[in-house]
Amino acid sequence: MTQAPPDQDRRPRAASRRSVLLLVLLLAVCYAVAALGGLAASDSGSTYRSLDRPSWAPPSWLFGPVWTVLYATIAFSAWLVLRHRPLAAARKEIVFWSLQLALNLAWPPLFFGADRYGLAFLDICLLLAALAVTMVLFRRRSPAAALLLVPYALWVLYAASLNFAIWQLNS
């Protein structure tokens, strides 16, 4: 009976370890965005409740659980695109993925911190555009990665509608 050379035995473990570390890093980035956005809008719950809102606005307690799940899917979708290729081979995808995260991060301080509902609406529209491009680019690499972003896109579209309605009702 022959044994596999030691290098061949280590490669799958190293690739697996790299893949897990990459997923952990992407989750950390996404949840750091969530934490920073939360710090920028630390009084968002009471601010949200004090606003004139449309009848179809969700309760403030719903946002935390929804975003917790969505940030995980955002990280996991990028992991599906990156796990089998070097970062340089997916540069355009990661630039747009990072851009949509940056726009996501910019929204809470605009909306809750500065009460700039019009600028927040512009930001969320740019976020939707960056997210659409990300989904198209991700689909070329991994259809599953693009599909994982669909709930996020739908929630952001809903949030954009809510942002617009609140802007109109509170101007």
Side-chain angles (χ1 to χ4, degrees):
M1 190 169 358
T2 61
Q3 291 185 355
D7 286 346
Q8 284 182 337
D9 193 40
R10 287 188 200 126
R11 265 188 235 134
R13 279 193 219 139
S16 177
R17 192 174 309 126
R18 177 192 171 278
S19 182
V20 169
L21 288 174
L22 177 62
L23 179 57
V24 169
L25 174 66
L26 292 167
L27 285 165
V29 167
C30 286
Y31 287 115
V33 166
L36 289 171
L39 288 173
S42 59
D43 198 26
S44 61
S46 62
T47 301
Y48 179 74
R49 287 187 295 277
S50 73
L51 293 168
D52 290 329
R53 293 168 288 161
S55 60
W56 45 270
S60 60
W61 62 263
L62 184 63
F63 291 96
V66 168
W67 279 110
T68 299
V69 172
L70 292 177
Y71 280 118
T73 64
I74 294 165
F76 195 71
S77 69
W79 177 76
L80 288 175
V81 168
L82 290 174
R83 66 186 174 146
H84 295 304
R85 58 187 53 84
L87 186 59
R91 183 172 292 154
K92 188 184 295 185
E93 290 87 345
I94 295 310
V95 164
F96 277 95
W97 182 82
S98 299
L99 176 60
Q100 63 79 27
L101 269 182
L103 290 164
N104 185 313
L105 177 58
W107 188 87
L110 288 171
F111 189 89
F112 292 111
D115 299 328
R116 301 295 305 263
Y117 309 126
L119 278 178
F121 181 68
L122 174 61
D123 175 82
I124 207 167
C125 289
L126 293 171
L127 166 55
L128 278 167
L131 180 54
V133 173
T134 302
M135 291 172 73
V136 168
L137 294 171
F138 274 24
R139 187 176 184 285
R140 294 176 186 163
R141 302 282 188 172
S142 167
L147 284 174
L148 275 171
L149 293 175
V150 169
Y152 174 41
L154 292 173
W155 183 258
V156 172
L157 184 60
Y158 175 68
S161 302
L162 182 59
N163 183 157
F164 184 80
I166 289 172
W167 177 28
Q168 298 308 300
L169 290 169
N170 292 274
S171 293

